[in-house]
C-alpha cells in the first residue's frame, strides 16, 4: 500500500530480506488450496484518494521492497510506466542489471480514485 510514493504497509512480508526460496504462495493447483490457506493473512486499513495497492509475485515484491528500502526512484518510474511494452522493457533492464531475480513476474496495480458524480 503506497501513498505518494511512500510505502505504508506491506504484507505478508514487510522487508526484502524476508524473501527466501520458499515464499508464501497462493496455490494455482487446486489440490494445494487447503494447505495454502494456513498461511493466509487478513488485514484492514484505510485508503485515500490516489493511494496505490500493488499485488505482486515474490520476485516483483522483493524487488519493490528493496528499492523502497533503499530510497531508489526506480519504484516511482515503475509506478509511472505506461502500458505493457514500457513495463516489459523496464523489467528487462532491471533483470539485465541484476537488480531483480530472473523469475516470473505478476503485478496488479490498483490506484484508488475518488468517484465524482
Amino acid at each position: 500500500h503506497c501513498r505518494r510514493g511512500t510505502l505504508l504497509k506491506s504484507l505478508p512480508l514487510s522487508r526484502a530480506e524476508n524473501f527466501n526460496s520458499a515464499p508464501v504462495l497462493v496455490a494455482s493447483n487446486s489440490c494445494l488450496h487447503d494447505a495454502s490457506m494456513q498461511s493466509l493473512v487478513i488485514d484492514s486499513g484505510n485508503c485515500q484518494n490516489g493511494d496505490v495497492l500493488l499485488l505482486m509475485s515474490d520476485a516483483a515484491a522483493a524487488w519493490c521492497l528493496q528499492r523502497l528500502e533503499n530510497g531508489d526512484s526506480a519504484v516511482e518510474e515503475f509506478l509511472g510506466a505506461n502500458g505493457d511494452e514500457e513495463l516489459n522493457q523496464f523489467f528487462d533492464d532491471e533483470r539485465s542489471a541484476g537488480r531483480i531475480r530472473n523469475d516470473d513476474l505478476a503485478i496488479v496495480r490498483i490506484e484508488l480514485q475518488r468517484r465524482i458524480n
Side-chain angles (χ1 to χ4, degrees):
H1 180 186
C2 296
R3 181 173 297 146
R4 292 183 291 282
T6 300
L7 178 67
L8 299 180
K9 185 182 285 187
S10 172
L11 58 101
L13 302 176
S14 60
R15 306 261 319 146
E17 67 194 23
N18 298 131
F19 285 85
N20 58 35
S21 60
V24 176
L25 299 175
V26 175
S28 57
N29 181 335
S30 61
C31 295
L32 301 174
H33 282 178
D34 288 339
S36 68
M37 294 306 285
Q38 294 174 5
S39 59
L40 179 69
V41 175
I42 298 174
D43 198 14
S44 64
N46 295 308
C47 292
Q48 295 180 5
N49 188 43
D51 283 4
V52 175
L53 304 176
L54 298 165
L55 310 174
M56 301 181 173
S57 60
D58 59 325
W63 169 87
C64 188
L65 284 173
Q66 184 67 54
R67 302 282 71 77
L68 287 167
E69 290 166 8
N70 292 340
D72 190 329
S73 63
V75 174
E76 297 213 17
E77 184 180 343
F78 153 67
L79 290 174
N82 294 310
D84 291 346
E85 189 173 314
E86 191 173 327
L87 276 173
N88 286 335
Q89 184 60 56
F90 177 83
F91 282 112
D92 284 347
D93 293 346
E94 290 297 290
R95 277 189 191 102
S96 294
R99 290 185 291 261
I100 191 168
R101 279 194 339 259
N102 189 13
D103 196 359
D104 62 314
L105 297 178
I107 302 167
V108 176
R109 181 182 188 273
I110 302 167
E111 183 173 346
L112 293 121
Q113 296 291 320
R114 182 178 53 187
R115 180 190 235 172
I116 300 173
N117 292 328

